[in-house]
Amino acid sequence: MKLIRYGKPNQEKIGVQINEKNYDVAAFGGDYNEQFFEEDGLLRLEEFVKANQESLIEISAEERLGSPIARPSKIVCIGLNYSDHAAETNAKIPEEPIIFMKSTTSLAGPNDDIIIPRGSTKTDWEVEFGIVVGKKATYVEERDAMEHVAGYVLHNDVSEREYQLERGGTWDKGKGCDTFAPIGPFLATKDEVADINNVRLWLSVNGQIMQDGNTKNLIFNVPYIISYVSQFMTLLPGDVISTGTPAGVGLGFNPPVYLKAGDVVELGAEGLGTSKQVVKAYGSH
């Protein structure tokens, strides 16, 4: 199944995508949130869609898509998880996964604008393969990790490099700005992705391909990441874990290249769809 949410920000309704068309399932009730995943929502939704397939109402292609999951309890990210990206940023290959957080207020729809923070000159892009947690996870063994997955999402881990690297403290300052976590267009359930260890992901800026990577090059793979993170914090249903970005970020160029107002960022991943964000300056949107 492919789950979508659509409508105005903070007023999204739920839907599903079938054969690349979006359909409303608001009659199912609720939202794609912690409670939904916790209470076998995916299974119940699948049964609802099968029972009502003939009567589902198609959603206009003009409708805005929101994040396919409601605001989660947390967005956990893994840093420097592709060796080529570590190399381009002159960073040492980590011995253990690097964990940082994005604020939940950074969550945005897949095609919403990216707003450059006030005074920022170093806003950057990062295409990532995201995991959506389906079941509470505490001290999970790697062999059991996949039982805790609801599905996968496309994520642009937008980053302000000055805030992240030059302003002291941890990376979180440069990761949690408003609009810095466009997610979607849909949540793909586990069965929709043939091989999570072989997913191509790419990103372009103004039509020029900047990133073209594959999850087969992850330093720490999906089951390991879930198990690892669960040793330090309880993962709740609906939480997002973003698994890191391949080479090709603006910081890695010499000299670095950063986003400016008017730029168009497009990204995609096999099985996870595509998204498109227009970059705007703070105060102009």
Side-chain angles (χ1 to χ4, degrees):
M1 268 194 314
K2 294 175 179 174
L3 281 57
I4 63 154
R5 294 169 71 251
Y6 74 98
K8 293 177 182 174
N10 303 315
Q11 297 175 31
E12 290 92 348
K13 299 171 186 171
I14 58 173
V16 292
Q17 186 176 106
I18 302 168
N19 299 326
E20 299 188 6
K21 291 183 177 179
N22 294 333
Y23 295 91
D24 177 88
V25 293
F28 177 80
D31 201 352
Y32 298 150
N33 54 18
E34 182 179 341
Q35 184 180 9
F36 168 84
F37 293 108
E38 196 168 43
E39 296 177 353
D40 271 337
L42 286 175
L43 192 61
R44 292 186 294 108
L45 178 64
E46 189 174 18
E47 290 167 355
F48 175 88
V49 170
K50 278 180 185 165
N52 296 279
Q53 197 149 0
E54 301 306 313
S55 59
L56 293 179
I57 297 169
E58 189 177 343
I59 300 162
S60 164
E62 303 301 307
E63 284 279 6
R64 169 190 173 267
L65 290 179
S67 160
I69 49 162
R71 188 181 295 172
S73 87
K74 50 191 168 294
I75 302 170
V76 184
C77 300
I78 308 299
L80 301 173
N81 200 21
Y82 287 79
S83 51
D84 54 359
H85 174 55
E88 73 173 346
T89 55
N90 297 314
K92 183 168 152 278
I93 299 281
E95 292 174 20
E96 294 187 41
I98 293 169
I99 296 175
F100 64 90
M101 310 285 268
K102 288 181 86 83
S103 66
T104 57
T105 48
S106 66
L107 189 70
N111 305 311
D112 290 350
D113 297 334
I114 291 171
I115 306 301
I116 296 177
R118 190 165 58 187
S120 158
T121 58
K122 297 182 180 179
T123 294
D124 203 348
W125 57 84
E126 292 192 3
V127 62
E128 305 207 2
F129 180 87
I131 306 158
V132 179
V133 175
K135 192 167 85 174
K136 186 176 176 181
T138 310
Y139 298 120
V140 172
E141 296 290 337
E142 191 176 345
R143 65 176 179 269
D144 302 323
M146 298 308 291
E147 295 171 17
H148 297 265
V149 176
Y152 309 104
V153 288
L154 177 67
H155 174 220
N156 187 359
D157 175 20
V158 186
S159 308
E160 213 295 344
R161 302 303 188 188
E162 180 189 353
Y163 300 177
Q164 178 188 356
L165 303 169
E166 301 170 35
R167 299 287 296 271
T170 63
W171 290 3
D172 301 55
K173 286 179 199 169
K175 296 287 192 171
C177 307
D178 290 357
T179 75
F180 271 26
I183 288 181
F186 50 76
L187 180 155
T189 50
K190 284 191 286 189
D191 56 301
E192 295 280 352
V193 180
D195 181 3
I196 55 169
N197 299 309
N198 186 19
V199 174
R200 178 178 172 243
L201 54 169
W202 58 269
L203 180 145
S204 69
V205 179
N206 302 327
Q208 181 181 350
I209 290 285
M210 297 297 196
Q211 294 183 275
D212 192 350
N214 193 297
T215 58
K216 67 186 178 190
N217 297 320
L218 284 169
I219 296 167
F220 304 106
N221 67 18
V222 169
Y224 185 89
I225 288 167
I226 295 164
S227 172
Y228 185 86
V229 175
S230 79
Q231 309 304 309
F232 300 94
M233 64 190 82
T234 292
L235 294 163
L236 295 176
D239 282 356
V240 176
I241 308 175
S242 204
T243 58
T245 199
V249 300
L251 176 66
F253 286 85
N254 188 14
V257 178
Y258 294 117
L259 293 170
K260 59 190 185 303
D263 284 348
V264 177
V265 181
E266 296 180 79
L267 56 151
E270 287 173 327
L272 300 183
T274 61
S275 66
K276 178 179 179 179
Q277 296 105 39
V278 176
V279 180
K280 295 191 176 172
Y282 181 82
S284 70
H285 58 289

